[in-house]
Amino acid sequence: MTTPATVQRIDALADVRAGDKGDTLIVAVLARDRAAYRLLERRLTDDVVAAHYGELITGPARRTCQPNLLAMVFELPGVLGGGVTGSPALDGHGKTLGYHLLSLEIRDF
């Protein structure tokens, strides 16, 4: 008998902090505990995050894991559409786009 998969939103497992470097959105994901970090490390890949932001990304997403901090950092090129001074978007720094990641649902198999 197999155990059914559970679905959780990132919001239940972690907090985020977002920033910018040019038109690249940088999102730090800070797990609330070790169990959450292990799940996020397995399921929150650069490909999953890139798919969540969709067509906004203009290049490959990059994930850097920081297990000693129970954190990971994602660099998402192009999401800010030109950056603070080059984009007509209201959120040139990407603060609300960072919180968009909290709505992502992941499965624990």
Side-chain angles (χ1 to χ4, degrees):
M1 183 172 174
T2 60
T3 304
T6 58
V7 177
Q8 294 187 66
R9 286 173 41 131
I10 301 302
D11 191 29
L13 303 167
D15 294 302
V16 299
R17 180 78 172 116
D20 65 287
K21 188 67 172 175
D23 74 342
T24 299
L25 176 63
I26 300 169
V27 182
V29 178
L30 308 154
R32 295 209 176 105
D33 56 40
R34 290 191 189 287
Y37 181 78
R38 286 191 298 272
L39 175 60
L40 291 168
E41 189 176 36
R42 285 192 318 272
R43 298 288 175 213
L44 193 62
T45 65
D46 47 1
D47 290 335
V48 168
V49 172
H52 188 63
Y53 284 89
E55 294 179 9
L56 294 174
I57 293 183
T58 60
R62 187 173 121 197
R63 179 180 83 163
T64 303
C65 291
Q66 302 288 330
N68 56 326
L69 300 174
L70 302 180
M72 53 191 67
V73 177
F74 292 90
E75 296 174 44
L76 309 171
V79 171
L80 298 178
V84 175
T85 60
S87 172
L90 293 175
D91 186 21
H93 292 284
K95 302 303 181 187
T96 58
L97 288 170
Y99 287 102
H100 174 62
L101 187 57
L102 293 175
S103 68
L104 178 64
E105 292 182 339
I106 57 173
R107 294 184 185 279
D108 184 13
F109 294 85

